[in-house]
Amino acid sequence: MTSQASFRHSALVLDSDESVRDVLVPAVRAAMAETDRVFIAVSDATAARVRSELGALAGSLEWGSAAAFYQRLGFAYEGFRRFLAS
């Protein structure tokens, strides 16, 4: 039997800089405490805010552009599938 790694997908709808600070960043920190690989796909502006909040820890994240992943769902799902397979 082949063991497959498990994964969790979390999605957040952000409506302000405060929600990035108060909701997204704590969720990312919690995910980082649970696993050594955390992938985040956000806009460039949100990425800048997350990087600012996390400081050096932001370098541990795997980053993707929300535009690249969510513009066309078929491509998004394939991109996630490839990421998870690696």
Side-chain angles (χ1 to χ4, degrees):
M1 179 190 295
T2 303
S3 174
Q4 291 185 346
S6 64
F7 69 93
R8 184 180 74 199
H9 175 264
S10 299
L12 298 170
V13 176
L14 304 169
D15 60 357
S16 66
D17 288 346
E18 290 77 21
S19 64
V20 171
R21 182 190 66 231
D22 298 341
V23 180
L24 178 59
V25 170
V28 169
R29 285 184 189 274
M32 292 173 80
E34 293 176 16
T35 184
D36 59 344
R37 291 187 74 194
V38 176
F39 176 79
I40 181 171
V42 294
S43 70
D44 291 341
T46 299
R49 289 191 285 278
V50 170
R51 288 178 193 278
S52 174
E53 291 286 331
L54 290 178
L57 285 176
S60 300
L61 294 170
E62 296 185 42
W63 294 89
S65 167
F69 275 90
Y70 294 115
Q71 186 175 37
R72 295 173 63 192
L73 286 180
F75 290 106
Y77 293 140
E78 177 61 15
F80 284 130
R81 186 198 65 75
R82 287 180 185 176
F83 170 76
L84 294 171
S86 72

